[in-house]
């Protein structure tokens, strides 16, 4: 314990702080963690403002589609033709147009095929990788472009470049003008269980039927923006889509006994549905529970015989950036209308699944769709489309406008033959449906560039999924969102910053999903608070719905709508691989030095007497002393010690008092304790300092110190606390809310960190770090 003289304390404290900063800076290793991002972010302009909002001259392109397609079930092939009306809203003259040919991703000469690394160097099993490689080599894949013609029927020269196709226009497309052209094409559908995580066909040996999930299935316009011009970066694998909005008019011809689930609203129910199915759909619109439209028994009957004739299903979708569908005679179908609180519209939540998906799909799927809309709309905007679909098929988890493909199913018990499901399967299904349906908001409506920034759809969506799961049930076993769950990844060596191109991410599930989710959760709970965060996040979503935001638009909007400078947070969490590890180094206690000798000298005596005796003094106890035999050797100095008050001291104190003002005299009478706590930043990531304080009388206090405490000295800081009560213990980050990696240094006094001793070694070859990374087929959930 130390005694401090309060008069002149502020001046002395400032000198210490300034000196500490000077020492850090003169060492040459000072890093300004609070340096603004303006030298990194693009310069604001008439298209994108400094506030993060679209500018007064913001523009984006538009592409409308009329598509006719036929499914050849026997040969697993799609043949189609489309007419595209493309409007140039940019200020630029376009000499050529670019279209995306995603099915070319599976061609033998694609970048993906030629650049795929050995399975020993990535996170897939050698068996799966070998199977995929053999299937890819044997598969006749990719688009076959039969013709590209203008609206007069003239051929348009085109060049295929990997997964992109350039159309060379006869004359440049001027600003504000439109062009219309047609494309005839076909392709072989991929084996969805082997080659694709995003769709394809799945064969059921037991009944000889298939489920088809048809996505990225037609030549689509590449996006042309004020930021990139043409976004024609090749479709390699993880970097998904950058697409413009438009209206779709689509007719799909399929076997007559198939049920089709699709983006958009069905236009011809009388042609494709039975009277019973239409009546059930009408009843489902106002039901408070899912209504079965096609029952399991009816689906089983459909499986028994293949129809020889065909039907055409007609769908229309307005203001969407893509279109997908699924088709099978195996589908069970249930539906429930969800009346949206905001605009009062009724949205049809519908699920399609084979008998192999029951009982879990019938029980949970449609409920999960509605939960998604309830939660997401609360934090963003009303769901704008007429339907929201969840389909079970070969894809483990994938999203398109209004429709999602989701994978988990129960398994048959080997002894009883009954279908059952694990806890992991149950919550995996609920979680993946919430996630994939949630993608309607990000990126299907807030249309970011997935080809470049994966976190702008997966991160936002995983964060809202975390909130939706909390509203599903108390104690929901969420995989991502809680700060403590990201710590092993944050301290690992195998990571890159969040602001890394999608196809260059190493640990995909952690980099693009989990870390951004945790960052947003910490922003909401710890840095900004729920009220400010929720307002700013909703502002971003509404500013950029049906538009194309960039990272800077999000960063700037969050600051603009909250009034909080967050550049330090974006810099640390999104541009570095630093982690959080703040330590309590030391706690020092000071009490007031009154300068009154009648008070201070006894205090010094008590402090000395409180010190433990030395070992020598202890062993000399009872030793014969000369002064005991000759008392005349004792004099004045034996009767008084160093702490005896003298008249000189009294006079000096009285003189001091005469020169003090009243407020200074009052300070000398304070009995408060002054605690100085020293902190060090071991992990590099600056964060708020949250302290849980326990007092000797049993009371507690929680103190929240903003991250700005690190602004001058980002490596070490000290904080003074003035308290009347005696502090017994201090805990740093008591709720473990900042992802602090080392809790052993979070306590004063130090506490042992509890763990469990494993008496048996891990299985040979087990990699605990790798187990944290989601399996490839689960990375899209």
């Amino acid at each position: 314990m130390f005694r401090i003289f309060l008069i002149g304390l502020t001046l002395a404290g400032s000198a210490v702080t300034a000196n500490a900063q000077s020492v850090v800076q003169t060492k040459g290793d000072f890093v300004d963690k609070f340096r603004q991002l303006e030298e990194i972010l693009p310069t604001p302009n008439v298209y994108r403002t400094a506030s993060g909002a679209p500018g007064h001259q913001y523009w984006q392109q538009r592409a409308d589609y009329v598509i006719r397609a036929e499914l050849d079930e026997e040969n697993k092939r799609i043949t189609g033709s489309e007419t595209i009306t493309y409007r140039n809203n940019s200020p630029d003259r376009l000499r050529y147009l670019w279209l995306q040919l995603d099915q070319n991703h599976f061609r033998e000469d694609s970048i993906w095929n030629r650049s795929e690394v050995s399975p020993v160097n990535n996170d897939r099993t050698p068996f799966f990788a070998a199977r995929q490689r053999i299937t890819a080599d044997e598969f006749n894949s990719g688009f076959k472009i039969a013709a590209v013609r203008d609206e007069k029927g003239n051929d348009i020269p085109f060049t295929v470049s990997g997964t992109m196709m350039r159309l060379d226009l006869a004359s440049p497309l001027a600003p504000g003008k439109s062009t219309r052209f047609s494309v005839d094409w076909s392709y072989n559908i991929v084996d969805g269980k082997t080659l694709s995580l995003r769709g394809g066909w799945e064969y059921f040996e037991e009944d000889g039927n298939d489920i088809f999930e048809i996505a990225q299935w037609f030549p689509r316009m590449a996006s042309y923006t004020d930021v990139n011009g043409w976004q024609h970066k090749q479709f390699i694998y993880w970097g998904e889509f950058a697409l413009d909005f438009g209206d779709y008019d689509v007719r799909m011809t399929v076997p007559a006994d198939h049920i089709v689930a699709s983006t958009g609203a069905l236009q011809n129910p009388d042609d494709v549905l039975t009277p019973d199915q239409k009546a059930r759909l009408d009843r489902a619109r106002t039901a408070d529970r899912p209504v079965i439209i096609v029952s399991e028994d009816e689906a089983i009957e459909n499986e028994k015989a293949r129809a020889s004739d065909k039907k055409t299903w007609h769908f229309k979708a307005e203001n969407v950036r893509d279109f997908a569908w699924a088709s099978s005679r195996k589908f069970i179908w249930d539906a429930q209308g969800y009346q949206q609180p905001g605009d009062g519209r009724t949205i049809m939540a519908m699920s399609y699944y084979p008998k192999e998906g029951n009982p879990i799909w019938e029980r949970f799927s449609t409920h999960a769709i509605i939960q998604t809309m309830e939660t997401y709309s609360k934090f963003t905007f009303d769901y704008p489309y007429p339907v929201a679909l969840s389909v079970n098929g070969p894809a483990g988890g994938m999203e398109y406008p209004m429709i999602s493909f989701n994978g988990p199913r129960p398994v048959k018990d080997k002894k009883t033959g009954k279908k059952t499901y694990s806890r992991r399967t149950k919550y995996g299904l609920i979680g993946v449906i919430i996630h994939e349906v949630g993608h309607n908001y990000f990126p299907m409506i807030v249309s970011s560039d997935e080809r470049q920034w994966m976190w702008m759809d997966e991160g936002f969506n995983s964060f809202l999924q975390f909130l939706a799961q909390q509203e599903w049930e108390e104690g929901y076993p969420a995989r991502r969102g809680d700060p403590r769950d990201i710590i092993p990844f944050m301290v690992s060596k195998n990571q890159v910053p969040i602001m890394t191109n999608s196809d260059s991410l190493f640990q995909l599930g952690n980099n693009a999903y989990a870390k951004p989710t945790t960052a947003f959760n910490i922003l909401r709970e710890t840095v900004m608070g729920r009220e400010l965060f929720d307002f700013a996040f909703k502002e971003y979503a509404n500013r950029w719905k049906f538009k194309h935001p960039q990272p800077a638009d999000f960063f700037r909007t969050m600051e603009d709508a909250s009034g909080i400078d967050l550049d330090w947070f974006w810099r640390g969490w999104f541009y570095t691989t630093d982690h959080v590890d703040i330590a309590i180094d030391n706690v020092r206690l000071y009490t007031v030095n009154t300068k009154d000798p009648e008070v201070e000298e006894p205090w010094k005596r008590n402090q000395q007497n409180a010190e433990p005796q030395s070992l020598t003094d202890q062993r000399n106890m009872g030793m014969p002393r000369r002064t005991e035999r000759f008392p005349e050797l004792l004099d004045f100095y034996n009767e008084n010690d160093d702490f005896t008050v003298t008249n000189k001291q009294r006079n000096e104190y009285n003189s001091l008092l005469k020169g003090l003002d009243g407020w200074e005299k009052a300070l000398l009478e304070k009995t408060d304790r002054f605690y100085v706590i020293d902190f060090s930043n071991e992990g590099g990531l600056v964060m708020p300092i949250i302290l849980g304080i326990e007092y000797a009388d049993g009371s507690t206090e929680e103190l929240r110190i903003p991250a700005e405490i690190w602004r001058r000295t980002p490596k070490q800081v000290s904080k003074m606390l003035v308290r009347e009560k005696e502090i017994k213990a201090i805990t740093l980050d008591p709720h473990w809310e900042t992802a602090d990696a080392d809790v052993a240094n979070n306590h004063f006094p130090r506490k042992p960190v509890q763990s469990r001793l494993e008496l048996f070694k891990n299985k040979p070859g087990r990699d605990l770090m790798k187990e944290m990374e989601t399996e490839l087929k689960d990375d899209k959930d």
Side-chain angles (χ1 to χ4, degrees):
M1 184 187 296
F2 305 90
R3 298 287 272 184
I4 56 175
F5 184 46
L6 285 179
I7 310 304
L9 178 64
T10 303
L11 179 61
S14 298
V16 171
T17 302
N19 183 61
Q21 183 181 4
S22 174
V23 169
V24 173
Q25 289 180 328
T26 54
K27 285 183 178 179
D29 58 356
F30 174 73
V31 176
D32 185 1
K33 301 286 186 177
F34 291 82
R35 184 173 180 175
Q36 297 297 284
L37 289 178
E38 293 311 310
E39 77 270 24
I40 297 176
L41 301 182
T43 302
N45 52 46
V46 295
Y47 310 124
R48 298 169 190 271
T49 69
S51 69
H56 65 279
Q57 293 185 31
Y58 175 84
W59 56 266
Q60 63 190 41
Q61 309 291 64
R62 182 177 181 86
D64 298 327
Y65 297 79
V66 176
I67 306 175
R68 305 292 180 263
E70 183 167 346
L71 169 65
D72 181 347
E73 181 177 22
E74 185 67 29
N75 295 304
K76 296 181 172 57
R77 184 175 178 81
I78 293 283
T79 302
S81 64
E82 64 188 279
T83 298
I84 301 175
T85 302
Y86 185 74
R87 180 171 178 81
N88 180 17
N89 293 318
S90 80
D92 308 323
R93 292 168 61 85
L94 303 179
R95 169 68 184 84
Y96 42 77
L97 307 179
W98 282 97
L99 279 74
Q100 303 186 50
L101 305 178
D102 286 359
Q103 292 299 319
N104 287 3
H105 160 80
F106 300 104
R107 283 175 40 162
E108 185 177 1
D109 61 352
S110 72
I111 291 178
W112 170 66
N113 258 326
R114 290 182 291 132
S115 66
E116 188 70 347
V117 298
S118 167
V120 299
N121 295 326
N122 63 25
D123 54 0
R124 292 179 299 167
T125 63
F127 174 80
F128 177 80
R131 179 188 175 200
Q132 187 181 59
R133 181 75 273 140
I134 293 170
T135 304
D137 290 344
E138 295 176 348
F139 182 59
N140 181 16
S141 57
F143 278 111
K144 307 298 186 291
I145 304 298
V148 181
R149 299 186 179 92
D150 64 22
E151 54 187 329
K152 295 181 179 179
N154 300 317
D155 289 339
I156 300 177
F158 65 89
T159 300
V160 174
S161 173
T163 60
M164 294 289 167
M165 178 171 70
R166 190 189 71 236
L167 307 188
D168 297 326
L169 303 178
S171 60
L173 182 61
K177 299 298 182 180
S178 298
T179 186
R180 182 177 290 117
F181 60 92
S182 63
V183 184
D184 298 336
W185 46 267
S186 63
Y187 73 92
N188 294 324
I189 305 168
V190 300
D191 177 352
K193 301 299 286 186
T194 302
L195 280 182
S196 176
L197 300 178
R198 297 177 173 90
W201 55 265
E202 178 183 8
Y203 178 69
F204 292 80
E205 188 174 357
E206 181 178 312
D207 53 59
N209 289 294
D210 304 281
I211 291 177
F212 294 90
E213 291 180 333
I214 308 301
Q216 296 148 258
W217 58 287
F218 60 98
R220 301 172 297 171
M221 290 302 305
S223 184
Y224 185 83
T225 70
D226 62 289
V227 176
N228 298 311
W230 286 109
Q231 172 50 293
H232 46 32
K233 185 178 185 297
Q234 293 288 316
F235 178 40
I236 299 177
Y237 202 82
W238 291 120
E240 290 179 334
F241 319 122
L243 300 160
D244 285 315
F245 290 95
D247 295 341
Y248 285 74
D249 184 323
V250 182
R251 287 179 169 86
M252 303 90 91
T253 300
V254 301
D257 51 1
H258 274 213
I259 295 292
V260 173
S262 175
T263 298
L266 180 62
Q267 302 298 299
N268 61 335
D270 293 340
D271 297 336
V272 295
L273 302 181
T274 68
D276 284 345
Q277 290 166 354
K278 290 189 294 180
R280 293 167 186 169
L281 265 178
D282 288 340
R283 183 158 52 89
R285 290 189 66 84
T286 57
D288 62 357
R289 296 286 190 279
V291 173
I292 298 297
I293 312 303
V294 176
S295 70
E296 182 167 336
D297 289 341
E298 291 168 334
I300 291 173
E301 286 300 313
N302 284 344
E303 292 176 349
K304 292 180 180 178
R306 290 174 178 252
S308 57
D309 55 340
K310 296 192 173 186
K311 288 182 179 179
T312 297
W313 294 62
H314 182 197
F315 291 87
K316 286 186 177 181
E318 296 180 356
N319 211 19
V320 295
R321 67 176 216 162
D322 202 355
F323 194 102
W325 52 288
S327 183
S328 180
R329 65 177 54 84
K330 290 180 64 64
F331 280 148
I332 303 165
W333 176 10
D334 72 56
Q336 180 185 340
Y338 166 61
Q339 188 172 16
Q340 191 158 239
D343 57 17
R345 291 185 309 109
T346 297
I347 295 116
M348 292 302 293
M350 299 189 286
S351 298
Y352 302 77
Y353 44 93
K355 64 180 184 297
E356 289 79 5
N358 269 337
I360 188 171
W361 269 78
E362 183 177 315
R363 186 171 188 178
F364 296 116
S365 178
T366 299
H367 280 287
I369 297 172
I370 294 174
Q371 180 66 62
T372 306
M373 292 187 286
E374 285 181 349
T375 302
Y376 280 56
S377 294
K378 181 165 55 179
F379 290 99
T380 57
F381 42 74
D382 288 337
Y383 185 79
Y385 297 129
V387 298
L389 278 55
S390 171
V391 180
N392 179 237
M398 192 58 207
E399 72 280 355
Y400 301 94
M402 305 185 220
I403 187 171
S404 61
F405 302 153
N406 306 301
R409 293 178 186 144
V411 296
K412 281 188 177 181
D413 186 279
K414 293 182 180 180
K415 294 182 179 179
T416 65
K418 294 182 178 180
K419 285 185 288 185
T420 184
Y421 55 87
S422 66
R423 175 183 176 85
R424 178 177 180 178
T425 299
K426 170 189 172 178
Y427 289 107
L429 175 66
I430 296 168
V432 73
I433 292 174
I434 290 174
H435 185 93
E436 304 306 341
V437 173
H439 269 304
N440 278 287
Y441 297 81
F442 300 94
M444 300 303 157
I445 298 169
V446 181
S447 182
S448 58
D449 183 351
E450 300 177 83
R451 191 66 51 93
Q452 182 66 32
W453 305 115
M454 195 171 189
W455 68 268
M456 287 194 75
D457 71 296
E458 298 300 353
F460 291 144
N461 190 36
S462 296
F463 167 66
L464 290 174
Q465 175 191 352
F466 177 66
L467 299 182
Q469 289 170 166
Q470 292 174 327
E471 294 185 2
W472 177 274
E473 69 178 47
E474 185 177 357
Y476 187 100
R479 292 171 54 201
R480 298 170 178 135
D482 193 311
R484 72 192 68 192
D485 294 335
I486 197 64
I487 291 172
F489 171 71
M490 294 280 282
V491 300
S492 71
K493 303 299 182 184
N494 301 325
Q495 56 173 311
V496 293
I498 292 175
M499 288 293 291
T500 299
N501 176 263
S502 301
D503 282 304
S504 299
L505 295 174
F506 187 72
Q507 294 194 55
L508 187 81
N510 283 318
N511 257 119
Y513 295 66
K515 185 177 178 182
T517 298
T518 306
F520 300 143
N521 189 30
I522 290 174
L523 265 183
R524 183 173 188 254
E525 299 288 9
T526 303
V527 176
M528 301 174 69
R530 291 188 175 189
E531 182 178 357
L532 282 178
F533 178 91
D534 292 350
F535 179 87
F537 190 80
K538 193 166 190 173
E539 179 69 12
Y540 165 73
N542 281 276
R543 281 180 175 182
W544 289 97
K545 64 182 178 182
F546 299 112
K547 296 182 177 69
H548 302 314
Q550 291 289 318
D553 301 318
F554 172 69
F555 296 153
R556 287 169 168 158
T557 294
M558 292 299 289
E559 296 187 3
D560 179 68
S562 68
I564 298 178
D565 180 3
L566 297 170
D567 281 20
W568 62 271
F569 190 89
W570 310 133
R571 185 182 292 277
W573 277 85
F574 287 77
Y575 287 90
T576 78
T577 57
D578 291 344
H579 64 275
V580 182
D581 181 12
I582 301 173
I584 298 178
D585 294 332
N586 191 28
V587 179
R588 290 164 283 155
L589 170 60
Y590 298 87
T591 52
V592 175
N593 184 342
T594 66
K595 291 298 183 177
D596 183 350
E598 303 291 355
V599 174
E600 297 304 320
E601 297 306 316
W603 179 86
K604 294 176 183 177
R605 182 185 292 115
N606 291 336
Q607 289 296 109
Q608 179 172 291
N609 293 338
E611 295 178 0
Q613 281 187 315
S614 69
L615 182 60
T616 299
D617 287 344
Q618 293 179 44
R619 290 176 173 175
N620 288 343
M621 290 290 291
M623 176 186 292
R625 314 284 182 170
R626 175 167 291 275
T627 54
E628 293 175 357
R629 288 181 289 144
F630 302 97
E632 63 271 21
L633 297 177
L634 298 173
D635 63 5
F636 170 84
Y637 293 103
N638 295 107
E639 296 172 359
N640 299 277
D641 58 16
D642 290 339
F643 308 110
T644 300
V645 179
T646 66
N647 287 330
K648 179 183 178 181
Q649 290 174 307
R650 293 187 183 98
N651 292 334
E652 289 174 348
Y653 173 64
N654 290 329
S655 297
L656 173 66
L657 290 179
K658 290 178 182 179
L660 297 180
D661 293 332
W663 66 269
E664 292 176 311
K665 293 178 182 179
L667 278 179
L668 293 180
E669 296 175 1
K670 290 187 70 66
T671 59
D672 290 341
R673 295 171 171 85
F674 297 79
Y675 293 91
V676 176
I677 311 172
D678 301 325
F679 302 96
S680 62
N681 181 359
E682 305 290 343
L685 205 57
V686 295
M687 288 292 286
I689 297 174
I690 298 97
L691 299 179
I693 303 172
E694 181 183 353
Y695 292 99
D697 64 2
S699 61
T700 60
E701 178 190 3
E702 185 169 287
L703 180 65
R704 292 179 171 266
I705 305 168
E708 281 76 6
I709 191 174
W710 302 100
R711 65 190 182 277
R712 296 188 184 94
T713 54
K715 293 185 178 181
Q716 292 93 22
V717 293
S718 297
K719 180 69 175 176
M720 175 180 284
L721 305 181
V722 182
R723 297 293 186 270
E724 291 183 0
K725 296 183 289 188
E726 178 186 352
I727 292 179
K728 179 183 178 182
I730 301 174
T731 301
L732 178 65
D733 194 8
H735 309 297
W736 214 354
E737 62 187 271
T738 67
D740 195 303
D742 184 4
V743 296
N745 57 24
N746 284 16
H747 299 278
F748 170 81
R750 285 284 190 262
K751 289 183 178 180
V753 178
Q754 294 188 8
S755 184
R756 301 285 282 181
L757 179 64
E758 292 286 350
L759 296 181
F760 300 95
K761 294 181 178 179
N762 291 326
K763 294 179 180 179
R766 185 181 179 200
D767 188 336
L768 293 177
M769 192 63 228
K770 188 171 289 184
E771 288 181 12
M772 287 195 57
E773 182 66 16
T774 311
E775 297 175 4
L776 265 182
K777 64 180 181 180
D778 292 336
D779 253 330
K780 289 300 301 169
D781 70 354

